[in-house]
Amino acid sequence: MLSNEKITNYAAPLDLLADRVILVTGAGDGIGRAVARACAAHGATVLLAGRTIAKLEDTYDAIAAAGGCDAIICPIDIEGATSDDFQQFNADIESQFGHLDGLVNNAGILGQRTPLSHYKTDVWERVIKTNLSAQFELTQALMPSLQASSTGASIIFTSSGVGRKGRAFWGAYAVSKFAVEGLVQTWAAEVEGMGALRINAINPGATRTQMRATAYPAENPETLKTATDITPAYLYLLGDDSLGINGQSLDAQAAKK
Ligand code: NDP
């Protein structure tokens, strides 16, 4: 059994992701931005996917200022994207790089914090599309590039504590995260033993981002880990030290004692 401490305290070598191409969705803000920066700092070429170009440019500038490796801005609204858009995304990666070594399905939305009896259907559909269906479609479309990785690609989906144990008023968000856990287990079982490709989930835990502040407006953000604090778990799963880890749902933060 993989120890949580091994992941949360993971000290990544600086060249962990050298020569690798890693795609991060929601790379303009919060956890995605921090993960993109950490990947670049560890040698990767990072594809910054997201829907707000100004935010992606900001992440790009931060990577450049830190002297990181290449980053490329890839505007995409995963909620509105069609299967043709996802296929085109894969074709662009294939023609430019020939392979994709890591995919971090991080983008997500919160939806409403309200009883299910009052939950709006249109919000429900948006949350399920963004947090689940679009991530499935994107990953499926990118599979040819991921399977072309010579190092064995690592695919990460983003879970949540409310995707493991139901909690009142978390509505479609909780349901989408439960489904992500199921998607990871199902897909991981299908790829088990088929080379080094691996599919896992990360639960970031309470992290100081805009989404967390929206969900818990009365909370003091200073009491929370920053997005940068939790990047070791992502680096662990993206690099060679996690070869053979497949179908797991890992915590990016140590359990509180
Ligand atoms: P943020 O709201 O800070 O960032 C979410 C990112 O997703 C933003 O960059 C946002 O883009 C992007 N995004 C949302 N919708 C779309 C879309 N349709 N197309 C493309 N990009 C989109 O959230 P966090 O960083 O906190 O969350 C990141 C992930 O971690 C989410 O999956 C979340 O559920 C999960 N998580 C977070 C926790 C926390 O405590 N923060 C705890 C547990 C799980 P834009 O800024 O342009 O809107």
Side-chain angles (χ1 to χ4, degrees):
M1 184 69 184
L2 194 59
S3 91
N4 189 222
E5 217 164 89
K6 179 170 174 184
I7 303 155
T8 55
N9 292 337
Y10 180 63
L14 267 182
D15 62 350
L16 180 80
L17 302 175
D19 302 323
R20 299 201 187 181
V21 184
I22 310 275
L23 171 66
V24 182
T25 69
D29 212 340
I31 295 167
R33 173 183 162 93
V35 170
R37 293 187 65 184
C39 290
H42 289 81
T45 295
V46 189
L47 309 186
L48 307 171
R51 62 180 174 181
T52 307
I53 292 175
K55 288 187 179 183
L56 299 174
E57 286 172 345
D58 203 53
T59 303
Y60 179 96
D61 289 346
I63 288 171
C69 287
D70 290 339
I72 295 172
I73 292 174
C74 306
I76 187 166
D77 173 354
I78 60 167
E79 183 192 342
T82 64
S83 67
D84 282 352
D85 296 328
F86 290 131
Q87 295 293 342
Q88 187 57 50
F89 212 169
N90 182 63
D92 291 345
I93 291 170
E94 277 185 326
S95 67
Q96 198 161 351
F97 303 104
H99 62 99
L100 183 63
D101 306 299
L103 167 61
V104 184
N105 281 303
N106 161 80
I109 56 173
L110 185 62
Q112 291 175 281
R113 296 283 321 281
T114 194
L116 282 165
S117 52
H118 293 109
Y119 210 93
K120 292 197 177 102
T121 312
D122 60 327
V123 179
W124 176 277
E125 284 168 0
R126 288 195 58 207
V127 173
I128 298 295
K129 176 77 205 277
T130 306
N131 294 4
L132 174 67
S133 309
Q135 306 193 7
F136 160 66
E137 287 178 57
L138 173 65
T139 304
Q140 188 187 54
L142 293 177
M143 217 30 117
S145 295
L146 291 158
Q147 283 170 332
S149 168
S150 61
T151 57
S154 175
I155 301 170
I156 299 174
F157 286 88
T158 310
S159 185
S160 165
V162 298
R164 294 176 179 167
K165 188 170 189 322
R167 203 179 302 162
F169 314 130
W170 280 81
Y173 180 88
V175 173
S176 72
K177 297 298 186 180
F178 266 96
V180 160
E181 295 269 345
L183 176 67
V184 165
Q185 289 183 24
T186 305
W187 218 336
E190 292 175 10
V191 303
E192 181 72 32
M194 292 169 55
L197 179 84
R198 54 210 186 275
I199 304 177
N200 295 286
I202 286 186
N203 166 23
T207 310
R208 195 188 308 168
T209 67
Q210 189 51 54
M211 184 187 286
R212 177 78 190 185
T214 305
Y216 293 91
E219 184 176 64
N220 176 2
E222 298 297 322
T223 61
L224 302 173
K225 295 276 187 197
T226 67
T228 303
D229 291 336
I230 65 163
T231 56
Y234 291 81
L235 292 172
Y236 172 79
L237 276 184
L238 289 168
D240 286 347
D241 288 317
S242 64
L243 281 169
I245 305 292
N246 184 43
Q248 306 270 322
S249 183
L250 307 176
D251 291 327
Q253 297 188 33
K256 285 211 170 98
K257 295 198 173 137

